[in-house]
Amino acid sequence: MAEFTPENTSPSPEEQELSKQLSQEFQELETERHNWESYWQDIAEHMIPRRADFNASYAPGEKRRNKIFEGTAVRALTRFASGLHNTLTNAQTSWFQLTVPRPLMQDRDVQLWLEESQRLVIEVFNRPISNFHPASHEFYLDLGAFGTGVMMIYDEPGQGPMFRTFHLGECFLQMNHLGRVDTVYRKFEHSAKALVEQFGIEVLPESVSKSYMEGNPYKKFSCLHVVKPRKDRNFGEAGSMNMPWMSVYMLHDQKRILSVSGYDQFPYVCSRWERQAQEIYGRGPGIEALADGRMLNKMEELGLKSLAKMVDPPLLVPDDGFLSPIRTTPGGLNYFRAGLGPNDRIMPLETRGRPDLNEAKMGQVRDAINRSFYLDLLELPGPTAPDGDVLRFSATEIMQRQRDRLSVLGPIVSRQEVEFLGPLVDRTLTIMVKNQMLPPPPEVLIEADFQVEYTNPVGIAQRAGEMTSVSALIQFLTPMAQIDPSVLRRIDPARVATIAAEILRVPPSVFKTEEEFAAEMEAEAQQMAVNTQ
């Protein structure tokens, strides 16, 4: 299909055919996602109300917390997103390493170039203009609540990678035969002003251009952005129409194509927390915690009513002898006929409620919600005693307990490495190379394939067993060395240091090269020879 630019007059046949095809595909995706929307709406209304736009519409600034009486689930989701962010993409640590095949890793220039490139990529993630950390926090919120997160990585001219997380309510996904998301239909609203700024007034239909020119530039129009694999392309030819991924913007209601272009690489990062084989969208901790969250809200509502009855109980009033109205305000005076019996008076109706039992059960439900969001693994306050006091441990024991807890998260985090972290770093590196934001690589790396190894606490915890074994061996052999000093000679300290540096992901520049180390040892030997003369 040839590239075209729609005009204000009438759509071309190619445009009509493409818009018809995309509209039909979008309708199928809408139908396929319909069952999820009520589920997500329920989760959002109880855990993240600002995202509750799946099958309900709210005016800007309208109250959204009408169904929330108790905020444990809301806070647990926020803490989950923060904990996952600190674990996987912490701004204060280098959470990944660039590597190449092992023979190339022996080259000192290669080591230093990879270290410098990694530092530059981390700087891109951490700079405020890239918007990575706010976008990733939103991504983790969606991942925890709905089980699916969608982030787009833009190639902004002159600035490099830019990150933005889209509301799941806007995004309609489809997978390839490998189970990876490769198609995104995003439905959103744009003002006439934004459409003119993005596409130019000459390609917009009369309804949009007229609104913009006649003083109503902020009128909203329903738009559709489609990114999908391009099938009808000529391999080997350059140009936006031959890129592997098609990018189409269109006015949804009017079925009018605004632009057709493409991407060299899939620009979206779409990850699922857990996924059943037959389903496209994921299931997150929010689905598990939904029943407990709804129950906790109901218990809080009933508890407040019970407490109100105890604080301001209903009254038993004789049907005769009192002058209405009955005044229950502080200092209120109620007049009655003299001579009434001692029991003929106003008295409270004892409900014999037990708010303490309700509060005890609510505490159990709160703990269940926190465990549903893995807060017992992502946070480490320490175990508590029966009286609620936090037990005290040594720093070594705390580190061991933290490794044990993080190891449990290993299988869960592995999916995020495949669906989120891997494509995230790959797309960012590609954009940085394209914009010449990395130093020129050594010649031996021009044809090399890069790999990404993650250095988050979970990955380190999974390999910590190797260091523990070496440390236990040294502790075991130390007393025996008093009998036979030669036993410690079987250990290669230099090899131990190399393994420890590899497990802890120590930067290569920390270690001396083999040549530098050999020259230093030779100089020390010569100095000792001079001193002994």
Side-chain angles (χ1 to χ4, degrees):
M1 182 178 62
E3 187 172 5
F4 59 87
T5 301
E7 300 292 342
N8 272 333
T9 55
S10 61
S12 65
E14 292 89 350
E15 178 188 353
Q16 292 178 349
E17 180 63 28
L18 180 59
S19 63
K20 179 180 178 181
Q21 174 192 343
L22 296 181
S23 297
Q24 182 178 354
E25 291 179 359
F26 177 67
Q27 186 176 3
E28 294 174 358
L29 294 181
E30 269 190 315
T31 302
E32 187 174 8
R33 206 191 75 167
H34 180 72
N35 289 338
W36 290 96
E37 293 177 355
S38 59
Y39 216 161
W40 293 337
Q41 181 71 20
D42 203 5
I43 293 173
E45 288 175 345
H46 289 87
M47 299 180 191
I48 181 170
R50 59 188 174 84
R51 295 284 211 186
D53 296 303
F54 293 97
N55 54 20
S57 59
Y58 292 87
E62 186 177 352
K63 295 181 180 179
R64 292 170 173 252
R65 300 176 66 96
N66 297 331
K67 293 187 178 182
I68 298 178
F69 290 88
E70 208 278 344
T72 295
V74 178
R75 292 188 293 270
L77 175 59
T78 302
R79 290 164 61 189
F80 165 84
S82 298
L84 205 60
H85 191 180
N86 291 332
T87 300
L88 299 182
T89 52
N90 195 323
Q92 307 303 321
T93 61
S94 296
W95 44 272
F96 71 92
Q97 277 189 329
L98 301 178
T99 63
V100 291
R102 186 169 292 275
L104 295 177
M105 286 296 294
Q106 308 303 317
D107 190 306
R108 182 65 171 180
D109 291 337
V110 170
Q111 294 177 356
L112 296 179
W113 184 86
L114 291 174
E115 180 182 342
E116 177 64 12
S117 299
Q118 173 189 331
R119 184 187 65 80
L120 293 175
V121 175
I122 291 293
E123 285 185 358
V124 167
F125 284 132
N126 289 344
R127 63 181 185 176
I129 195 174
S130 72
N131 195 48
F132 172 70
H133 290 292
S136 61
H137 183 71
E138 293 291 321
F139 185 91
Y140 293 132
L141 285 172
D142 283 359
L143 195 63
F146 313 120
T148 304
V150 180
M151 178 187 291
M152 188 174 186
I153 307 173
Y154 294 90
D155 181 4
E156 195 70 19
Q159 296 180 357
M162 302 284 288
F163 305 87
R164 182 181 177 187
T165 294
F166 290 114
H167 179 23
L168 185 59
E170 298 181 351
C171 302
F172 300 78
L173 313 180
Q174 190 54 265
M175 301 184 302
N176 58 19
H177 66 287
L178 299 175
R180 302 289 295 275
V181 174
D182 68 345
T183 300
V184 175
Y185 280 67
R186 185 170 69 89
K187 182 182 178 183
F188 61 100
E189 288 190 340
H190 246 4
S191 66
K193 177 178 179 294
L195 290 170
V196 170
E197 291 174 349
Q198 183 172 359
F199 302 105
I201 196 170
E202 65 278 358
V203 303
L204 298 174
E206 183 179 358
S207 59
V208 180
S209 58
K210 185 177 180 180
S211 175
Y212 178 76
M213 297 298 293
E214 294 184 357
N216 192 12
Y218 301 110
K219 181 180 178 180
K220 299 289 186 179
F221 294 88
S222 178
C223 303
L224 198 65
H225 181 212
V226 181
V227 178
K228 55 181 288 190
R230 176 177 270 122
K231 298 179 181 178
D232 53 345
R233 69 188 186 101
N234 298 322
F235 292 88
E237 293 187 11
S240 61
M241 298 303 296
N242 285 295
M243 292 182 175
W245 268 267
M246 171 192 293
S247 172
V248 180
Y249 282 92
M250 62 180 291
L251 288 175
H252 174 58
D253 295 335
Q254 304 178 38
K255 295 181 174 56
R256 179 67 179 268
I257 300 294
L258 299 179
S259 74
V260 180
S261 58
Y263 293 99
D264 284 323
Q265 188 179 31
F266 190 52
Y268 285 98
V269 176
C270 305
S271 179
R272 284 72 59 89
W273 183 256
E274 294 177 339
R275 185 181 71 86
Q276 294 186 11
Q278 310 93 323
E279 298 176 342
I280 298 174
Y281 300 94
R283 296 173 180 265
I287 291 181
E288 180 181 348
L290 177 59
D292 287 330
R294 297 174 66 176
M295 178 171 62
L296 191 61
N297 273 279
K298 191 63 177 179
M299 294 173 69
E300 178 73 9
E301 182 182 2
L302 295 176
L304 291 174
K305 290 180 179 178
S306 175
L307 187 61
K309 290 178 182 179
M310 298 182 69
V311 175
D312 187 11
L315 302 177
L316 296 175
V317 183
D319 61 354
D320 188 19
F322 282 83
L323 299 180
S324 297
I326 303 299
R327 296 173 177 83
T328 59
T329 57
L333 299 177
N334 292 291
Y335 297 93
F336 63 93
R337 186 173 62 248
L340 292 177
N343 295 325
D344 293 332
R345 59 185 176 85
I346 299 175
M347 64 179 64
L349 173 62
E350 297 291 342
T351 60
R352 302 185 184 277
R354 291 290 304 274
D356 56 321
L357 297 181
N358 185 60
E359 185 61 34
K361 180 61 179 177
M362 288 177 64
Q364 297 176 2
V365 180
R366 290 190 185 100
D367 290 340
I369 292 175
N370 290 334
R371 288 193 299 271
S372 295
F373 284 105
Y374 302 93
L375 298 187
D376 55 328
L377 301 177
L378 295 171
E379 301 176 352
L380 191 66
T384 56
D387 61 358
D389 189 24
V390 177
L391 302 179
R392 308 299 178 185
F393 297 97
S394 65
T396 303
E397 188 170 2
I398 289 177
M399 291 178 62
Q400 183 60 43
R401 286 176 177 269
Q402 189 172 21
R403 290 194 188 100
D404 294 341
R405 291 185 174 194
L406 290 176
S407 296
V408 178
L409 283 174
I412 300 173
V413 172
S414 296
R415 173 176 284 276
Q416 302 313 310
E417 293 185 353
V418 173
E419 294 196 349
F420 176 49
L421 300 176
L424 171 71
V425 176
D426 187 35
R427 170 73 174 160
T428 303
L429 270 175
T430 301
I431 294 175
M432 293 182 67
V433 170
K434 178 181 177 181
N435 289 274
Q436 299 181 352
M437 300 175 68
L438 296 178
E443 292 185 4
V444 295
L445 288 182
I446 294 179
E447 300 296 332
D449 292 329
F450 292 92
Q451 297 177 344
V452 179
E453 293 184 0
Y454 299 98
T455 58
N456 55 70
V458 175
I460 295 176
Q462 290 175 327
R463 297 201 60 187
E466 299 178 41
M467 291 184 58
T468 302
S469 300
V470 173
S471 178
L473 176 63
I474 294 175
Q475 293 179 9
F476 176 76
L477 294 179
T478 299
M480 299 180 63
Q482 299 179 3
I483 303 173
D484 182 7
S486 64
V487 296
L488 290 180
R489 297 179 183 176
R490 299 180 64 85
I491 299 177
D492 184 354
R495 181 59 182 162
V496 171
T498 301
I499 293 176
E502 180 181 346
I503 293 175
L504 297 176
R505 305 296 196 268
V506 176
S509 59
V510 171
F511 278 85
K512 301 173 183 176
T513 65
E514 294 292 339
E515 294 76 11
E516 292 173 343
F517 183 70
E520 187 175 296
M521 295 296 293
E522 182 179 355
E524 290 182 2
Q526 293 176 356
Q527 185 64 37
M528 291 180 61
V530 171
N531 294 337
T532 55
Q533 293 178 357

